[in-house]
C-alpha cells in the first residue's frame, strides 16, 4: 500500500492497549490482546484472529518493558527504509 505521510492506522496501533484480557474471550486460554488488526484498527487476542483471517494484522510482542513489532512484519505493510535496521521496532 502507498501512503503519503503516516499511515492512518498507525496512530491507532500506537494508542491501543495490549496484553490485557480480551473482553470477548475472557474465559478462553491465550486471551491476551497481542495482535493489532490494521483493517479494523483494534487490538485482538489469538482467539479473535479467525474472524480477521482476511484482514491485515501484526503480532505485538513485549521486549524489555516495551511493545514491539518485528521489523519484517512492518516491511510487509509500508516502506521501512527510514527505520533503524533491527529485528524489533518499538511502538
Amino acid at each position: 500500500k502507498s501512503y503519503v505521510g503516516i499511515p492512518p492506522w498507525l496512530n491507532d496501533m500506537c494508542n491501543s492497549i495490549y496484553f490485557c484480557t480480551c473482553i470477548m474471550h475472557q474465559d478462553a486460554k491465550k486471551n491476551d490482546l497481542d495482535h493489532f488488526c490494521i483493517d479494523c484498527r483494534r487490538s485482538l487476542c489469538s482467539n479473535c484472529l479467525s474472524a480477521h483471517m482476511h484482514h491485515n494484522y501484526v503480532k505485538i510482542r513485549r521486549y524489555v518493558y516495551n511493545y514491539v513489532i518485528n521489523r519484517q512484519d512492518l516491511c510487509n505493510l509500508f516502506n521501512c527504509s527510514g527505520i533503524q535496521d533491527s529485528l524489533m521496532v518499538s511502538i
Side-chain angles (χ1 to χ4, degrees), residues 43-91:
S43 51
L44 309 169
C45 76
S46 296
N47 300 294
C48 294
L49 292 179
S50 62
H52 297 262
M53 61 191 284
H54 297 294
H55 294 182
N56 292 306
Y57 60 86
V58 291
K59 171 95 168 128
I60 308 297
R61 304 165 194 280
R62 280 195 270 202
Y63 180 74
V64 190
Y65 304 107
N66 289 301
Y67 299 137
V68 297
I69 301 171
N70 277 337
R71 184 181 185 276
Q72 189 59 42
D73 293 346
L74 287 179
C75 289
N76 294 333
L77 300 170
F78 59 87
N79 182 355
C80 293
S81 61
I83 296 176
Q84 176 182 327
D85 190 25
S86 66
L87 293 177
M88 302 287 188
V89 177
S90 184
I91 58 171

